[in-house]
Amino acid sequence: MSSKGSSRATGAAGKDDGKNLKQTRRRLSVMSDNKLIEGMDSVNLDDKEPETVAAAPATGGFIVNSYGGYSKKGYAPYNPKKKNQDALIMAEDPKTRSLLLCVLDGHGEDGDKVAQSIKGKLASYLFKHREFATNVKAAITDVVAKIEGEVLRDMSIETDFSGTTFTCCLIRGNTCICANIGDSRSTVGYRNDSGGITAVALTEDHKPDLPAEKARIEAKGGRVFAVEYDDGVDGPPRVWLGHMDVPGLAMSRSLCDAVAHSAGVSSEPEFVEYEFSQGREDLILVLASDGLWEFMSDQEVMDIAVGTTEPRYAVDKLISEANERWMREEQVIDDTTVCVAFGLVIW
């Protein structure tokens, strides 16, 4: 790849493989020297993963009435060893009457290990943190940094080119504190004046070409550009080292990704504090990896979710619709994780 911000794809693969790679490369989170670091594999689209499925009425007087989530492995014909690199966390802390919802979207060779390691520790560490009851933002910041450090020191996990996004909502009473790292997203839907639902993103996707993000990356010596192939610019802006065309990360913040962090990628969470139903009726909260958001807008997601009677039905319909759109557009399907919470207001 050239340092001027373009690259010419080689013709090593056959025509069919080249076409498939062309369709895939624009969606990968990590790429380097035209090599697809992230693999895909063939899976039964109807295959269920019961261990990641959950739906429950919230207890303890939450503003949330019920919630549910599901993480589904993607589909592609190339790599049969691919694992689901997404992870889902849903946990309640009775002591503080808090509900934690979190979605992680791993990428790279060991993205699944990074996401699963964080999943296994987050709720426990957070609920036990000394400031969790009084300063949620400080507790989340502290815990995320601690767990990231532990994963980076784990020699069984490749973290130079592997990492994960992180979007979470901590709901306590009427307050929702969102913490976001990367391009997974949290969105709320409220009843509008015409009786329909209006979607509003609570978090902002951390893309490398956002002015503040790009400035930080370049100040650290990194570069931001989209890869240009023979058919023109193809794919999103990516983060590269100043002297070498790696890692090609398609987000400006992530957890782990040691090489990308040396080029200015940050693991600092961006916080948004939101008060439910202040002057309007908030109805639905959705957290999801970009397997959902890639081909669906916030508004489309809410329009589908509001037509269901329970969070689990909303999750099923959203994942099915997202999968269909991926197949139409790319002939592959990204891992897709969706968490839906319904409010106390009955539609």
Side-chain angles (χ1 to χ4, degrees):
M1 296 182 183
S2 97
S3 59
K4 295 181 181 179
S6 65
S7 172
R8 301 295 175 184
T10 64
K15 290 184 179 180
D16 289 342
D17 288 343
K19 180 180 179 182
N20 289 334
L21 294 180
K22 175 183 172 183
Q23 292 168 336
T24 303
R25 69 196 181 202
R26 69 189 70 190
R27 307 299 173 189
L28 291 176
S29 294
V30 184
M31 64 182 297
S32 171
D33 295 326
N34 294 335
K35 180 181 178 181
L36 301 183
I37 294 176
E38 210 173 38
M40 297 187 182
D41 77 322
S42 142
V43 340
N44 182 344
L45 292 182
D46 294 324
D47 213 12
K48 296 296 182 181
E49 299 171 20
E51 70 279 6
T52 64
V53 180
T59 59
F62 298 123
I63 190 72
V64 171
N65 181 51
S66 58
Y67 58 93
Y70 180 58
S71 185
K72 185 171 184 178
K73 185 166 73 169
Y75 162 84
Y78 313 128
N79 183 358
K81 296 181 180 180
K82 162 90 165 56
K83 297 179 180 179
N84 184 356
Q85 295 189 305
D86 284 7
L88 171 67
I89 303 168
M90 300 185 293
E92 295 183 24
D93 179 42
K95 185 176 180 181
T96 59
R97 299 172 70 180
S98 302
L99 171 63
L100 173 67
L101 305 174
C102 183
V103 168
L104 302 106
D105 181 355
H107 50 259
E109 181 181 348
D110 279 355
D112 59 309
K113 295 180 181 179
V114 173
Q116 289 299 323
S117 182
I118 294 170
K119 174 181 177 177
K121 299 175 179 180
L122 183 68
S124 175
Y125 283 21
L126 186 60
F127 294 164
K128 293 176 182 176
H129 193 277
R130 63 187 180 279
E131 292 190 84
F132 179 62
T134 57
N135 191 338
V136 171
K137 293 179 184 178
I140 291 175
T141 300
D142 228 22
V143 166
V144 167
K146 179 181 179 180
I147 296 176
E148 182 187 34
E150 291 177 356
V151 177
L152 288 169
R153 291 189 294 273
D154 187 338
M155 300 306 293
S156 69
I157 303 177
E158 193 291 308
T159 53
D160 283 347
F161 296 96
S162 302
T164 185
T165 69
F166 174 95
T167 191
C168 83
C169 289
L170 193 288
I171 301 166
R172 184 181 295 166
N174 206 46
T175 301
C176 177
I177 295 177
C178 302
N180 191 53
I181 302 168
D183 61 1
S184 295
R185 190 185 311 160
S186 300
T187 296
V188 70
Y190 66 91
R191 192 194 305 273
N192 56 38
D193 292 340
S194 63
I197 191 168
T198 297
V200 178
L202 296 179
T203 60
E204 181 177 27
D205 298 354
H206 291 132
K207 299 298 187 182
D209 57 343
L210 290 173
E213 301 293 297
K214 184 176 182 181
R216 184 191 66 245
I217 291 164
E218 292 179 340
K220 293 288 187 178
R223 296 172 295 153
V224 175
F225 63 84
V227 176
E228 183 179 342
Y229 293 83
D230 291 332
D231 53 352
V233 175
D234 191 343
R238 297 178 181 273
V239 180
W240 313 88
L241 295 179
H243 63 289
M244 190 181 302
D245 289 335
V246 295
L249 189 66
M251 63 195 75
S252 57
R253 300 193 193 195
S254 71
L255 293 174
C256 297
D257 286 309
V259 171
H261 281 229
S262 72
V265 169
S266 172
S267 58
E268 181 180 352
E270 183 174 27
F271 287 96
V272 174
E273 187 167 337
Y274 183 77
E275 293 293 322
F276 286 113
S277 297
Q278 297 298 298
R280 64 191 188 195
E281 294 178 305
D282 290 319
L283 303 170
I284 301 172
L285 177 68
V286 176
L287 294 76
S289 63
D290 67 352
L292 179 71
W293 305 117
E294 188 67 52
F295 297 113
M296 296 181 68
S297 69
D298 299 73
Q299 187 60 50
E300 287 176 307
V301 166
M302 288 300 168
D303 287 340
I304 290 173
V306 79
T308 64
T309 57
E310 296 181 30
R312 58 177 176 161
Y313 299 141
V315 170
D316 285 345
K317 290 192 71 173
L318 289 170
I319 291 179
S320 293
E321 179 64 26
N323 286 354
E324 289 179 9
R325 296 192 186 195
W326 272 94
M327 285 301 291
R328 285 200 303 267
E329 296 290 333
E330 301 278 338
Q331 290 76 56
V332 298
I333 301 173
D334 195 8
D335 300 333
T336 307
T337 300
V338 179
C339 179
V340 174
F342 280 7
L344 293 175
V345 177
I346 299 176
W347 184 261

